[in-house]
Structures are given as structure tokens and as C-alpha cells.
Amino acid sequence: MSQRKRKSIFEIFEELIGHVDKVFEELVGVAPFEAPLCDVSKRELKPLVHMYETEDEVIVTIDLPYVRKEDIRLSASENTLKIEAPVRERIRMSRWGPYQREVEFECFRRTITLPAIIDPEKTRAKFKDGILQVILPKKIYGYRIIVE
Amino acid sequence: MGAETSVKIVEALKVKAGAKMLVGIPDVGLVGVIAASHIVQSLNMVEAGYLDSDEIPPIVVIHNNEPKSPIRIYNSGDLIVLTTEIVLPAQTILTISRSITRWAKEKGISTIIGLTGLATPNRLEIEKPTVYGVGSTPQARELLSKAGIKSFDEGLLVGTYATLLRECMRAEQPNITLLAEAHLQFPDPGASASIIETLNTLLNLNIDVGELLDKAEEIRVKARELMKKTQEQLRSLRKVQEQELPGIYV
């Protein structure tokens, strides 16, 4: 019997925010607010993500330029996927706007709420040309029904 | 006919009759925007005008302390490039496409060439994206064929480039749409490089793509916010229809 890892309060909170955003998006048709894809104070970038599901799997593709395969830290729970990946060199950007200050980013980080319950232990991933593809098999509940 | 144009193209410089006009606007993999930006820089093209409308988002680009329209036109010799760093709202696509087509017709532009991506699910496995072409007239198709560009034989086009192609057909303005195999949701400089190499053959240009490929990662990081907004637009336009099984064509 596999032992379930207890979630931290931060993980629970992130999941909760993810659910609220999802419900809001379904009801209103738009994301609740447009957050930029970076957090300047934490020097973090939020990667672009593409997600779709088949009958058996959830497939998540993540754009990770400047990242080395060996630096990727990926973890999954039954309904979240968390990615952390430091970049191999600091990404410098001249910010637009009145301050014109230069900003630096050190890593990509994002927690993704999945559209189905998955089996984290059977999750597999591959990385090519700075793009990470994660395949998360869905947990199938139910009984087989024989059709007579 | 509806959708009468409230869009104006303001010229800063005269463009040559017979010129070819490239269009690079946000769509699949930002292929057109990345390609257009590289072409403008490589050929040191000068700003020749801009597109003005009350319908475009309330955005002004400030560059070197000078306010500019977000939809601009560049020129060098017989080549014109129209490009933008904003996502065109779905409700403006028709009027903008119609205005571009009318302007091109008025100015005697020989061909409008749309540069875009073709969402390809197995893009990760493809080293060098293939470029396909669609021509609006027999002459345009002949040009594609002579340049050895694979024809896009069957399928759907959805979005701004589809509207532009349709408007060109209505106005009898020759149009070629080039589509490079690309990531649907991520900026794809590799696909843009393939499009530029195809243009080199089609228009007898000599634009080096080495620098574009060297800077691919930097471009992918810088283009993320535009890609995110483009993703939202592509969802609203039901771009996914391009990947659905073909219907019955009689």
C-alpha cells in the first residue's frame, strides 16, 4: 500500500486558488484577472503551458527555454502538477515603462491544476529542445460492465 | 456589405506600385510576427506608415520617446511589411483585413503574402518545419509551384489570415498564405526561420536566419506575454477546427 504524502498548507492553498480560478473561468468565460507571466520580486517566470486530455491521459506541455533537463524538478499529486526549473544563465530584460530598469530572472515555477484525477506514480515526462511534455495517466474508478 | 471600414492606413512614405507586402500578425506560434520582425531588422527597413482605427485596443507603443501605432508598415525597395505586437480583437479582424486589402489594391501591391504557422501536434519530433502555401489565384499558385513550395491541398484556415485571404479573393487581390509547421501554443522561432528561407526562394531574397536561430531561446522568453494573449484569441476563434477531421467537400 502506497503511503500518501501529506500536503503542506501552501499546496492546499495553491490548489484552492486554482479551483476558484477554474470555476470563475467556467462561469464567466474569462480568467478572473490577468496576472503577468513573471514575478519580478521573486525573479521567477511562469512558463507557458498547453494542456489537453484524452480518454485515459492528461497531457501537459511546458515551454522552458534556457533550462537544462537535469535541473527540472517536477512533482505531481492527484490533481496538480508542479514544475520548478532554474535557468542555466540569468535572463536579463530591460523592462518597458517609466522606470526602464533591468530585471533578472533565475527560474521558472508554476503549479498547474489538472482537469482530472491522475495517478502520480505512473506519470512520465520527456524533454526536448526546451519543451517538457508530461503524460499523466488518469485514475480510472468503476467496474467493467459486461454488455450482453 | 456591412463592416464598412473605420480603419485608415496612414502613409509616411510612398510605396512602389508592384511591391510585395508581407503580413505578420499574432497567430499560431507567433510565426508571422517573429519572421516579420527579423525581416524588418535584417533589411534595415524604414517605417512607411501605420494603421489607425478607433476599433483597435487603446494601446500606443512608445519607442525612443516617440509614440507609435501598434500596427505599423515598413518598407524597403519592392518589399513592404505590415506587422503588429498586439493581438487583434476578434470583432476587428474583418474590417482590418478589408482595409489592408483595399489599400493594397489602391497602391498596386502585386501580392499580399501572409506568414503564419500550421499547428502541428508532433512539432517536437520535427527538426526542420515544412512550409506549405495557399494561393488565391492561378498565378499565385503557379508562383508557389515554381518555387517548389508544397501546396496546402486540403484543410481549414481559421482566423485573421483566413479573413485576409477571403477579402483578397473578393477584391481580386492576389494573396499567398505561407504556413510553417509550428507549435500552436508556444513561440516558434524555428518555424519562422523556415518561412524566411521559403521567402528567400519565392522572392529571391537573401535573409540570413542564423541570428534568428541563435536567439531562439531569448525570443521565446520575450514573446511569452504576446503568446499568452494570442492563445486566448485562438481559443475564442475556435482555431482548433484546423486540426479536426475534414468534413465533406463536394
Side-chain angles (χ1 to χ4, degrees), chain A residues 72-106:
Chain A
I72 298 171
R73 289 192 297 274
L74 195 61
S75 59
S77 72
E78 283 191 330
N79 62 348
T80 61
L81 178 69
K82 191 172 179 181
I83 170 88
E84 282 181 60
V87 290
R88 62 170 192 274
E89 59 189 81
R90 285 183 177 186
I91 300 170
R92 285 192 175 84
M93 278 192 211
S94 307
R95 255 190 123 191
W96 281 28
Y99 304 112
Q100 295 289 343
R101 62 194 166 107
E102 201 171 74
V103 289
E104 286 187 345
F105 296 101
E106 292 170 353

Side-chain angles (χ1 to χ4, degrees), chain B residues 1 12 46 65 78 81 85 101 111 117 157 211 221:
Chain B
M1 213 153 123
V46 292
N65 199 27
D78 289 339
V81 173
E85 55 269 275
T101 308
T111 316
L157 282 186
E211 198 188 346
V221 170

